[in-house]
Amino acid sequence: MYPAYYKPARAACYKSCNHAVRMARSSSLFHQRHQFYYSSASSCFASKRYSRVLFKRRTMLPRYPYGPVANSSENTMNGYNRKAPQKRRYEMPKYAVPPKKKTCKERIPQPKNTVAMLNELRNGLIYKLESQTGPVHAPLFTISVEVDGQKYMGQGRSKKVARIEAAATALRSFIQFKDGAVLSPLKPSGNLDFTSDEHLENDVSKSAITVDGQKKVPDKGPVMLLYELFNDVNFECINIDSAQNNCRFKMTVTINEKKFDGTGPSKKLAKNAAAKAALASLCNISYSPMVVPQKNVPLPIDDKSSSMELPQIHADAIGRLVLEKFMEVIKGQEAYSRRKVLAGIVMTENMNFFEAKVISVSTGTKCVSGEHMSVNGAVLNDSHAEIVSRRCLLKFLYAQLDLQCNQATAYQSIFVRNTDGQYPYKLKSGVHFHLYINTAPCGDARIFSPHENDTGVDKHPNRKARGQLRTKIESGEGTIPVKSSDGIQTWDGVLQGQRLLTMSCSDKIARWNIVGIQGSLLSSIIEPVYLHSIVLGSLLHPEHMYRAVCGRIEKSIQGLPPPYHLNKPRLALVTSAEPRNQAKAPNFGINWTIGDVELEVVNSLTGRTIGGQVSRITKQAFFDKYGFLMKNLPGILNRSVTTDYGQTKANVKDYQTAKLELFSAFKREDLGSWLKKPIEQDEFVLTE
């Protein structure tokens, strides 16, 4: 009746009894099992109450509609299999067709409607119901939407259809739909010259604007957005440059027979750069870091980020012009093409970039060694690329003033006579200078982590690393805070072994934004000249860059003699950003100025050319040019230059007043003291 291993003795426990209940196979044996459970429970626990509990479990016993097993063995109980019952299987007919399994069909992506496309390009739009006409059973709705100051209308049998039609009308004014048809605006605003720079400048304010007045970066990637907006998009890898152990890919995208280039360390990045250039030119959509991302907090510089942003198409044009000129002048001397920092200055008239001129191109990352200092102003103390480019610009300004010495060539000069000011000459109206650097200038503008998002309110606004004046290290790279230096530098101390320190490029650019880029000597002849924009090839952090070049002293600067003022240049990053160059910096740098027959190669450690000659952009060369202008330039009152170089600079009162006020502003902000070179360097006179 029971399995061999089961013994209904007094030692049987409730667990084994319950197990026997679960092993039941037929309701016909229920009474016999109940008698066994009752006696077992009574003998184990001797409890009448517990017996009643077991008796009540009678209603909970399972019923199994399975018949007995034919062959019984040790593993069976009363001819029934001990294994757990299995689910019944439905036996199909012999010729039945098996049911098909459900498969997840791929969903075909539906195209976006015009409202969604318009909202991606112009955020914060408001659709207004203008009118409702027609009978009640067949109304006709008219809805309007305002985009970039122009109202577009749409009609439909429902408000939804009317809204879609209004968005489609707005989209027809500036994009091409997927069908490939080029659609023109419905209401052209006058006869516009689409090739003029004025039109390009006006379009800058028509990019994506939010309610807060901040421009926003599109949520989608540039390649995806380009494919959504245009039908005829073709990418092609046309060139691969593996020079300097830095593999560079060049991608070209063709849209409506217009080509846009992009470069990068990989084909993907080069493709993104080409797409960004196309979107900036065709749709005025910018991915610049100067544009506030949608998911981030606006920059804590009020509304300066929007006003300080240079249009992306202008930034790309500046970077392209400098790079092309560098490749042009380096031909034949490829041995000196190695560089880590490349800089150049571009001049435009009335912001016409089709006729822009590259004024200077330079490379370099190091400063002169202390043992090669010159008392005659015959060496270059600072060979950093951006500093050398500015010195090349000074050479160009001297050449332009030379044209004023002859009436036959005076009209070719960028300077005109200043009849209503204290300075004899001034720049022509509309002439602008743009500085390009392939990376952030050394110093305060480069003290940040490029892979950490620290945009927003600074949690430590009083930290000492913010805005500090910094100095370059002799014959090396990098900067250190000026407070940790040794203070005043002396000639004999440097010759004895003390390191010669030079102010960082970020600090010098901040100085140019106060006193100008023309230098102290030319400040006695022309009005201050300021940079219109600064374009970087990489490592542009809007907050840190703005603080470095002008923001750290804007609240403390005061008492500047007119026309000196705090200049705030426009900032931008090129779409084809340069990758980080891990190669060792060379000990030489090149410089070229418009009008030069060939480039000049300078040994950065000695401050002279590789042939040991005096460079054409030294203090000595400029002092000689200044002496010539004072003798021959029309409109100069005091033509005698009887003092040395240092004293001649000190005689330019307004320039020195503005410079001292700049130094005081740094001290008031507790940013350190400006470190000067030994005064013996400026104690030389004009050569006969």
Side-chain angles (χ1 to χ4, degrees):
M1 180 177 177
Y2 299 103
Y5 67 89
Y6 191 85
K7 297 180 181 180
R10 299 177 62 89
C13 62
Y14 172 73
K15 221 171 186 182
S16 59
C17 297
N18 195 21
H19 180 67
V21 172
R22 292 199 306 269
M23 295 295 294
R25 292 293 183 272
S26 174
S27 60
S28 61
L29 300 177
F30 174 78
H31 180 71
Q32 298 177 6
R33 289 201 310 271
H34 173 66
Q35 294 296 331
F36 162 71
Y37 297 148
Y38 184 83
S39 60
S40 176
S42 301
S43 60
C44 290
F45 304 99
S47 173
K48 185 177 181 180
R49 175 175 174 271
Y50 194 78
S51 300
R52 284 199 303 270
V53 172
L54 289 179
F55 184 76
K56 288 181 180 180
R57 291 181 62 89
R58 173 173 177 258
T59 59
M60 301 174 59
L61 293 176
R63 290 166 174 80
Y64 299 91
Y66 299 100
V69 181
N71 298 327
S72 60
S73 61
E74 291 183 353
N75 295 330
T76 61
M77 182 177 66
N78 296 334
Y80 291 90
N81 196 343
R82 293 181 56 239
K83 293 184 178 180
Q86 298 182 353
K87 293 183 179 179
R88 289 189 177 184
R89 294 185 178 179
Y90 173 75
E91 296 183 359
M92 299 171 47
K94 184 176 182 181
Y95 299 102
V97 180
K100 295 182 179 180
K101 295 183 179 179
K102 294 183 179 180
T103 58
C104 182
K105 297 183 179 180
E106 296 183 359
R107 297 180 61 184
I108 301 176
Q110 299 296 327
K112 294 185 178 180
N113 58 28
T114 55
V115 176
M117 294 178 62
L118 185 61
N119 288 336
E120 289 181 355
L121 299 177
R122 300 290 190 271
N123 295 331
L125 298 178
I126 299 177
Y127 295 85
K128 295 182 180 180
L129 178 62
E130 297 291 337
S131 63
Q132 179 180 349
T133 59
V136 178
H137 66 278
L140 182 63
F141 298 93
T142 302
I143 290 182
S144 67
V145 59
E146 186 175 349
V147 180
D148 298 336
Q150 188 172 356
K151 184 178 290 187
Y152 301 92
M153 313 292 288
Q155 291 183 341
R157 291 295 183 181
S158 64
K159 293 182 180 179
K160 179 179 180 181
V161 175
R163 190 183 301 111
I164 292 175
E165 289 297 325
T169 306
L171 287 172
R172 289 189 184 97
S173 63
F174 58 89
I175 73 168
Q176 175 190 16
F177 280 117
K178 280 289 188 178
D179 55 3
V182 180
L183 304 177
S184 59
L186 297 180
K187 298 180 180 180
S189 56
N191 296 324
L192 294 178
D193 183 7
F194 291 96
T195 62
S196 65
D197 294 291
E198 181 180 1
H199 168 69
L200 294 177
E201 190 169 4
N202 291 338
D203 282 347
V204 176
S205 61
K206 295 182 180 181
S207 55
I209 304 294
T210 64
V211 180
D212 300 331
Q214 295 279 2
K215 296 180 181 179
K216 292 187 176 182
V217 177
D219 289 332
K220 296 186 177 181
V223 178
M224 180 184 297
L225 186 58
L226 192 65
Y227 276 117
E228 289 187 357
L229 297 179
F230 298 95
N231 188 30
D232 187 15
V233 179
N234 296 315
F235 285 93
E236 181 183 3
C237 183
I238 63 174
N239 188 21
I240 300 178
D241 182 14
S242 58
Q244 303 184 16
N245 297 326
N246 289 325
C247 187
R248 299 280 291 172
F249 295 90
K250 184 176 182 181
M251 299 290 293
T252 297
V253 58
T254 304
I255 304 174
N256 297 334
E257 299 182 356
K258 295 182 180 180
K259 294 186 177 182
F260 303 92
D261 297 331
T263 60
S266 65
K267 290 184 179 180
K268 178 181 179 180
L269 295 178
K271 192 175 183 179
N272 285 339
K276 290 178 182 178
L279 290 172
S281 178
L282 299 177
C283 303
N284 197 23
I285 298 176
S286 176
Y287 285 81
S288 171
M290 294 300 298
V291 180
V292 181
Q294 294 184 5
K295 298 180 180 179
N296 291 348
V297 181
L299 296 176
I301 54 177
D302 302 329
D303 58 347
K304 302 181 183 64
S305 61
S306 59
S307 62
M308 292 185 62
E309 179 193 359
L310 184 71
Q312 190 63 56
I313 54 175
H314 294 173
D316 292 338
I318 293 171
R320 183 181 66 257
L321 289 172
V322 173
L323 290 173
E324 290 177 353
K325 180 59 67 174
F326 173 73
M327 299 304 297
E328 177 185 339
V329 301
I330 205 66
K331 287 183 178 179
Q333 301 191 44
E334 285 77 7
Y336 301 106
S337 63
R338 290 195 302 117
R339 47 92 177 175
K340 290 197 72 172
V341 180
L342 171 67
I345 294 180
V346 177
M347 182 185 71
T348 59
E349 296 186 18
N350 300 320
M351 298 300 290
N352 183 4
F353 282 87
F354 295 102
E355 298 180 0
K357 297 180 181 179
V358 180
I359 303 302
S360 63
V361 172
S362 60
T363 64
T365 55
K366 295 186 179 181
C367 299
V368 68
S369 176
E371 59 181 337
H372 292 286
M373 290 189 305
S374 173
V375 294
N376 297 320
V379 300
L380 284 178
N381 291 325
D382 193 344
S383 292
H384 282 230
E386 49 267 55
I387 309 303
V388 176
S389 281
R390 179 253 178 184
R391 298 194 69 84
C392 292
L393 176 62
L394 292 181
K395 181 173 177 288
F396 172 74
L397 296 181
Y398 277 109
Q400 291 296 306
L401 288 173
D402 285 342
L403 297 176
Q404 290 287 342
C405 297
N406 189 350
Q407 293 184 356
T409 58
Y411 73 97
Q412 302 176 5
S413 175
I414 62 173
F415 293 103
V416 294
R417 292 291 298 271
N418 189 10
T419 57
D420 55 352
Q422 57 179 332
Y423 299 93
Y425 294 89
K426 65 179 181 180
L427 273 179
K428 288 182 179 179
S429 177
V431 176
H432 299 292
F433 295 101
H434 312 268
L435 174 63
Y436 169 79
I437 317 172
N438 70 332
T439 185
C442 66
D444 187 48
R446 208 188 292 174
I447 306 300
F448 69 93
S449 176
H451 298 289
E452 293 182 0
N453 184 16
D454 56 354
T455 302
V457 180
D458 193 355
K459 297 180 180 179
H460 306 282
N462 298 323
R463 66 174 70 182
K464 297 300 181 180
R466 295 287 189 247
Q468 291 292 317
L469 292 174
R470 305 177 75 89
T471 60
K472 306 168 187 174
I473 300 176
E474 172 190 339
S475 303
E477 296 184 77
T479 59
I480 57 175
V482 72
K483 287 186 176 182
S484 61
S485 60
D486 297 331
I488 300 176
Q489 300 185 96
T490 59
W491 186 276
D492 50 350
V494 172
L495 290 181
Q496 194 174 358
Q498 182 183 1
R499 278 194 167 186
L500 181 64
L501 302 178
T502 306
M503 298 304 295
S504 68
C505 295
S506 295
D507 300 333
K508 289 188 176 182
I509 293 176
R511 174 173 171 170
W512 299 344
N513 286 324
I514 294 292
V515 300
I517 57 177
Q518 75 286 343
S520 56
L521 294 181
L522 287 180
S523 296
S524 62
I525 303 176
I526 62 176
E527 289 185 354
V529 179
Y530 295 100
L531 291 173
H532 181 266
S533 66
I534 301 176
V535 180
L536 300 185
S538 62
L539 297 181
L540 172 61
H541 191 293
E543 181 183 354
H544 294 287
M545 187 66 184
Y546 174 80
R547 181 191 63 242
V549 299
C550 59
R552 47 182 167 169
I553 55 174
E554 62 178 344
K555 296 181 180 179
S556 59
I557 195 73
Q558 57 188 4
L560 293 176
Y564 292 93
H565 63 277
L566 175 61
N567 178 55
K568 297 179 180 180
R570 296 174 179 265
L571 306 175
L573 177 72
V574 297
T575 54
S576 299
E578 288 206 6
R580 180 170 173 261
N581 190 353
Q582 301 181 12
K584 183 179 180 181
N587 292 331
F588 59 82
I590 65 106
N591 66 81
W592 175 89
T593 311
I594 185 172
D596 291 341
V597 178
E598 59 182 11
L599 58 84
E600 181 181 70
V601 184
V602 177
N603 188 335
S604 303
L605 301 182
T606 62
R608 297 176 180 268
T609 64
I610 55 175
Q613 305 295 323
V614 178
S615 174
R616 54 196 179 194
I617 55 174
T618 57
K619 296 179 180 179
Q620 183 184 96
F622 290 156
F623 197 29
D624 292 340
K625 294 178 182 295
Y626 176 76
F628 175 82
L629 290 178
M630 296 300 290
K631 292 179 181 179
N632 301 281
L633 194 63
I636 302 298
L637 300 178
N638 186 9
R639 296 184 177 275
S640 61
V641 182
T642 58
T643 57
D644 60 18
Y645 178 77
Q647 188 60 41
T648 304
K649 294 198 303 181
N651 291 337
V652 186
K653 300 301 182 183
D654 288 347
Y655 181 91
Q656 296 299 327
T657 301
K659 184 176 69 172
L660 293 177
E661 176 56 34
L662 169 69
F663 297 163
S664 300
F666 282 122
K667 289 183 179 180
R668 283 193 291 269
E669 293 292 336
D670 195 24
L671 301 177
S673 300
W674 195 276
L675 197 62
K676 299 180 180 180
K677 292 286 196 306
I679 59 176
E680 289 80 5
Q681 282 194 346
D682 295 340
E683 294 178 349
F684 61 92
V685 296
L686 285 173
T687 57
E688 297 296 338

